[in-house]
Structures are given as C-alpha cells and as structure tokens.
Amino acid sequence: MHRPSSDVAFTPAVKAVQARRGSREAYARLERRGGFGTELDDELARFVAERDSVYLATASAAGQPYVQHRGGPRGFLRVLDPHTLAWADFRGNRQYVTTGNLAENDRAFLFLMDYETRTRVKIWGRARVVEDDPALVARLMPEGYRATPEQAVLFTVEAWDVNCPQHIPRKLDAAEVEAALARLQERVAALEAENERLRAAAG
C-alpha cells in the first residue's frame, strides 16, 4: 500500500495523539487524497523566490536536532526543478554543525516564514553538501552579494505543507518600512510646500 507523503510528519506516535485529541479524521481525509504536496508548484516557487531568510533543521546520526538560519538577498534560495532547491552556503562562524550532520544523516527540513502575509511553509526532504563544484557554487551565488561562498547545498523535496496563519504575529520588513516612510515624508514635504505657496498667494 502506498504511504501518503504526510507520513513524513505523521508518524504512528503522532497519529495516536491526533486520535486521542480529535483531529485524526481530518488528517485521514488528507491522507486519502495523497497527503502533502510533493512537487514545488509555480505558486510555491514564487514564494520561495521572495524569501531572504530560511531556517534549516538537521539532526546527527544519534538524533540530536539542530536548527540554523540561512539568509541572503531575495532569491538566494533557488528552485532548480519541481523537486530540488539549492543555495550557495556562505562562510559563517565555521562550526559546521549542519555540514557534519548532513554527512551522516541526510534528512533535513526547511521552515520558511513570511511575517507580512502571515504565511509559513514547511518542507521535508533530504539535503547534501557539494564542496567540489565551483561552477555550481558560482551559479548559485547571488550577484553582487558580499559574502564568501564555501559550498553549495542541494535539497531534494519529499513533502511540503502550508500552515494556517493562526498565532503568527504580523511583522514588516525593515527595508519596506523605510521605503514607505520615505514616500510619506516626500508627500508631507510636497504638502507643506503647497501650503506655503497658498499662504503666499493669499497674503
């Protein structure tokens, strides 16, 4: 029997809790339709392309979890095809926990958040580090971005799900707020100048 893609998250222990707390039937209906999405469709690809921040979760062979932030200019996270994401991995504090984890356990998870629209996307899959392909790293490197790429990461998508916006605080990107304030200040300055002109004409 074909297992639904949502089984990547809904283990027997998870399903037991869902049954005990009354949500199992709703997720069983999802499973009968095949479970979570397994390919990156156009809408999700556009969402990914707009992200400048993502959280990557890995675990050691012993199961010790680790979550690391990855960031860059919008579009640093690339969709190579409906099953593959990739990015240039920039030099950081050089602890290499993620790289070490992936060397012994390729299971990985991406958490993408858009606070402005209160949208969160969860992506399960497998990831591998590519250290010996400078052409790939160069292709993934965002143009003009001042960072040192050390390697590339290829992420094979196995399942993805979009969560409801419940309990997500709405936050705006600083650059977007600054741009909106600049437009407002320009408008205020124009109105003040027009006000002075009218005063002078009336005087």
Side-chain angles (χ1 to χ4, degrees), residues 6 22 29 48 56 73-74 78 87 92 94 105 117 132 134 149 153 162 164 170 177 199 203:
S6 49
R29 288 195 295 271
V48 169
L56 170 64
R74 293 184 190 277
R78 308 285 178 86
W87 62 91
R94 309 189 78 186
N105 179 2
T117 62
D132 55 356
V153 178
V162 179
C164 71
R170 188 160 187 257
V177 172
R199 283 181 180 175

Side-chain angles (χ1 to χ4, degrees), residues 43-44 47 51 111-122 160-166 168-171:
E43 184 176 355
L44 182 56
F47 181 84
R51 305 281 62 79
F111 188 88
L112 289 71
M113 177 71 82
D114 181 351
Y115 284 102
E116 183 177 357
T117 62
R118 299 171 69 226
T119 303
R120 55 185 164 186
V121 175
K122 303 178 295 186
W160 62 270
D161 183 42
V162 179
N163 271 108
C164 71
Q166 193 172 201
I168 300 176
R170 188 160 187 257
K171 300 181 181 182

Side-chain angles (χ1 to χ4, degrees), residues 80 86-88 128 130 133-141 152-154:
L80 300 188
W87 62 91
R128 64 185 178 94
V130 180
D133 192 339
L136 175 63
V137 174
R139 180 158 66 95
L140 295 175
M141 186 64 190
V153 178
L154 296 179

Side-chain angles (χ1 to χ4, degrees), residues 6-19:
S6 49
D7 272 8
V8 69
F10 298 159
T11 64
V14 171
K15 291 180 182 182
V17 175
Q18 291 172 349

Side-chain angles (χ1 to χ4, degrees), residues 56-60 63-69 93 95-98 101:
L56 170 64
T58 60
S60 68
Q64 180 63 45
Y66 183 71
V67 178
Q68 189 164 47
H69 175 263
N93 59 18
Q95 291 183 346
Y96 300 120
V97 178
T98 295
N101 283 351

Side-chain angles (χ1 to χ4, degrees), residues 20-191:
R20 181 161 52 86
R21 298 194 177 183
S23 62
R24 176 87 285 268
E25 181 51 37
Y27 290 115
R29 288 195 295 271
L30 172 71
E31 290 163 4
R32 289 193 287 271
R33 297 193 300 269
F36 296 151
T38 56
E39 293 189 355
L40 302 169
D41 58 24
D42 291 342
E43 184 176 355
L44 182 56
R46 284 191 294 271
F47 181 84
V48 169
E50 284 296 309
R51 305 281 62 79
D52 58 6
S53 179
V54 61
Y55 290 94
L56 170 64
T58 60
S60 68
Q64 180 63 45
Y66 183 71
V67 178
Q68 189 164 47
H69 175 263
R70 285 289 180 261
R74 293 184 190 277
F76 85 97
L77 185 60
R78 308 285 178 86
V79 177
L80 300 188
D81 60 52
H83 296 281
T84 312
L85 296 167
W87 62 91
D89 210 26
F90 311 132
R91 177 172 294 174
N93 59 18
R94 309 189 78 186
Q95 291 183 346
Y96 300 120
V97 178
T98 295
T99 300
N101 283 351
L102 291 177
E104 59 183 16
N105 179 2
D106 68 349
R107 293 184 183 276
F109 176 85
L110 291 172
F111 188 88
L112 289 71
M113 177 71 82
D114 181 351
Y115 284 102
E116 183 177 357
T117 62
R118 299 171 69 226
T119 303
R120 55 185 164 186
V121 175
K122 303 178 295 186
I123 306 177
W124 290 264
R126 296 178 184 269
R128 64 185 178 94
V129 172
V130 180
E131 299 183 28
D132 55 356
D133 192 339
L136 175 63
V137 174
R139 180 158 66 95
L140 295 175
M141 186 64 190
E143 185 177 352
Y145 188 55
R146 298 184 64 181
T148 301
E150 286 194 316
Q151 57 199 14
V153 178
L154 296 179
F155 186 102
T156 302
V157 175
E158 295 185 340
W160 62 270
D161 183 42
V162 179
N163 271 108
C164 71
Q166 193 172 201
H167 310 303
I168 300 176
R170 188 160 187 257
K171 300 181 181 182
L172 302 178
D173 185 79
E176 294 174 357
V177 172
E178 290 169 359
L181 286 175
R183 291 192 297 270
L184 178 61
Q185 289 167 350
E186 289 175 3
R187 178 62 176 158
V188 169
L191 290 172

